[in-house]
Amino acid sequence: MQGYLRADGRKGIRNLVLVTYLVECAHHVAREIVNQSESDDVQLIGFPGCYPNEYSLNIMENLCSHPNVAGVLVVSLGCEGFNREQLSQTIAASGRPVETLVIQKAGGTKSTIAAGLDRVKDLVSAAQKCEMVAMDMSELIVGTICGGSDGTSGIGANPAVGHCFDRLIEQGSACIFEETGELIGCEQIMADRAITPELGEEIMKSVEKAENYYTLMGYGSFAPGNAEGGLTTQEEKSMGAYAKSGSSKIHGLIKPGDIPKQGGLYLMDVVPDDTPLFGFPNISDNAEIMEMIASGSHLILFTTGRGSVVGSAISPVIKVCANPETYENLSDDMDINAGKVITGTATIAQVGDEVFDLVAQVASGKQTKSEELGHQESIITYKRFEAIGPSCLPTVR
């Protein structure tokens, strides 16, 4: 494996230029700059809100300084509450070139698009000069989520990803699984796998928080599509989601934007702290994908039974399909057919090894199905988190 060496010492598996808008009012201008650049290596992310939010700033800072990113163009309307100065300073401090355009000062839509295209051209040119160096599996961070789950998810795709995680962790990789809101009922099992009793207590608290949050919202993570796909209870869905974690010890509990400093298995708590302020924890799968990328994930393993066609900006998405009928129907969008477990033509370990091999290939430059199709979805919302305590990232191994 080879990676793109960044000034902060991290290595990326992609070499992208981001165009980043800081409020919905700047979205169209930023999108036009990306579209007119006519390059798959120029990608769009952004935050739609006008009011400031510490979480969104932190997520954006981490995304724009992600190891897969070589340079950034920041597009601001000019009067939004987002702290564009701090964002630009953070990007520059990471050693990446950054340019900022303020639409209200640049002459409006046409002038800003024209200026943006010039800036992007320079950023792409600089990115092409990035040095490639040897990269080890121990330098890789891999996240996993499930979306569109059905009765096959916990039998085929999720345990196969768990097997892949165990192999990655043996190689020294950091692996992130989620989410506490979809693991209600599994808290004691996870606590028993924690490397310290204190971490186990924090895991228990995080799931209790998620249960309370969803109770106050009056709606959980169990969707009508889950029931249509054969799942019967939240606990059944939780056990299927839990299977993605494999069998390794849990080394830490992180929140969005916390980056693992060493290999191991990490649980991501995506449920905001305190009582509900901004609505549901994640309004779509891509919100969660962005959070795992903000925590350093070089690529994402996306398991599904009913089917999903999303990819992501910044980090490649490998889709692992549990349902053989769904795989046949959506084969152009699926990377791995875990339905072979259901049909009895492959074991969980065999499919897990297939996922592991594809992770290595994608990390070495092979495009995923979503990349080939041009999927570059992203979304950032409002949230609020408190910093994790020392018990969440114990140094014991």
Side-chain angles (χ1 to χ4, degrees):
M1 251 168 48
Q2 285 195 313
Y4 295 92
L5 180 63
R6 307 303 178 194
D8 58 11
R10 294 192 293 169
K11 299 168 188 174
I13 64 170
R14 295 295 185 266
N15 196 36
L16 308 172
V17 168
L18 293 185
V19 178
T20 304
Y21 62 90
L22 305 186
V23 64
E24 187 62 24
C25 309
H27 187 167
H28 173 76
V29 169
R31 183 175 295 280
E32 281 301 304
I33 293 170
V34 172
N35 290 344
Q36 293 183 36
S37 74
E38 298 181 342
S39 172
D40 290 336
D41 290 332
V42 178
Q43 298 189 357
L44 178 72
I45 67 169
F47 178 66
C50 187
Y51 298 101
N53 176 241
E54 184 178 350
Y55 157 85
S56 62
L57 175 59
N58 178 46
I59 293 296
M60 190 74 84
E61 287 177 318
N62 282 15
L63 294 174
C64 290
S65 57
H66 189 279
N68 288 351
V69 174
V72 183
L73 171 64
V74 176
V75 182
S76 162
L77 175 62
C79 55
E80 69 274 3
F82 202 102
N83 191 336
R84 64 174 179 269
E85 290 82 9
Q86 181 175 329
L87 176 61
S88 296
Q89 290 168 7
T90 299
I91 299 168
S94 75
R96 290 160 177 78
V98 55
E99 300 281 351
T100 301
L101 288 174
V102 180
I103 297 171
Q104 291 170 346
K105 297 179 180 178
T109 299
K110 289 184 178 180
S111 297
T112 309
I113 292 171
L117 288 168
D118 288 338
R119 308 289 175 86
V120 163
K121 184 178 179 180
D122 293 339
L123 290 169
V124 169
S125 178
Q128 292 171 346
K129 299 174 184 176
C130 289
E131 179 186 6
M132 291 198 75
V133 298
M135 182 175 178
D136 191 74
M137 291 291 280
S138 63
E139 299 175 270
L140 206 60
I141 302 178
V142 180
T144 186
I145 76 161
C146 47
S149 299
D150 68 7
T152 68
S153 298
I155 302 171
N158 291 356
V161 166
H163 176 85
C164 172
F165 263 24
D166 288 341
R167 287 195 61 187
L168 286 167
I169 291 165
E170 288 176 358
Q171 297 288 321
S173 303
C175 294
I176 304 171
F177 74 107
E178 48 66 53
E179 65 169 293
T180 48
E182 290 192 349
L183 292 167
I184 295 170
C186 300
E187 56 268 30
Q188 186 61 63
I189 309 172
M190 293 189 294
D192 291 342
R193 290 172 59 191
I195 60 174
T196 66
E198 293 78 14
L199 173 59
E201 291 178 12
E202 293 296 334
I203 290 173
M204 295 283 287
K205 291 176 184 176
S206 71
V207 178
E208 181 182 1
K209 179 189 70 172
E211 186 174 7
N212 292 336
Y213 194 100
Y214 281 120
T215 299
L216 288 169
M217 291 299 298
Y219 188 85
S221 66
F222 193 90
N226 300 141
E228 291 171 6
L231 292 172
T232 60
T233 63
Q234 176 66 59
E235 288 77 12
E236 186 179 15
K237 184 182 180 185
S238 294
M239 288 302 296
Y242 169 77
K244 300 195 307 297
S245 66
S247 60
S248 303
K249 286 285 189 180
I250 298 177
H251 293 84
L253 174 68
I254 62 175
K255 298 181 182 181
D258 296 326
I259 301 174
K261 302 302 182 185
Q262 55 188 319
L265 180 64
Y266 297 83
L267 170 62
M268 176 176 281
D269 176 7
V270 303
V271 177
D273 293 320
D274 209 347
T275 56
L277 296 174
F278 305 114
F280 295 107
N282 278 320
I283 60 175
S284 71
D285 291 324
N286 280 97
E288 212 158 301
I289 290 174
M290 283 288 104
E291 290 178 330
M292 285 193 290
I293 295 173
S295 287
S297 295
H298 290 89
L299 57 88
I300 304 295
L301 301 177
F302 189 124
T303 65
T304 185
R306 292 182 60 82
S308 175
V309 300
V310 302
S312 179
I314 302 176
S315 295
V317 174
I318 295 173
K319 288 198 286 297
V320 184
C321 184
N323 191 315
E325 293 182 2
T326 302
Y327 182 84
E328 183 176 352
N329 189 40
L330 296 175
S331 58
D332 287 345
D333 289 275
M334 300 298 152
D335 297 281
I336 298 286
N337 179 14
K340 291 182 288 187
V341 174
I342 308 299
T343 60
T345 56
T347 65
I348 288 172
Q350 287 171 332
V351 175
D353 289 341
E354 188 179 345
V355 178
F356 178 87
D357 291 341
L358 186 55
V359 166
Q361 293 169 28
V362 170
S364 299
K366 177 182 173 67
Q367 285 201 322
T368 64
K369 292 288 186 69
S370 62
E371 286 183 292
E372 291 174 351
L373 292 167
H375 283 280
Q376 297 176 9
E377 293 89 342
S378 73
I379 183 170
I380 303 172
T381 61
Y382 282 99
K383 283 188 179 183
R384 192 188 73 80
F385 287 99
E386 297 174 0
I388 58 173
S391 298
C392 294
L393 288 176
T395 57
V396 179
R397 277 292 183 265

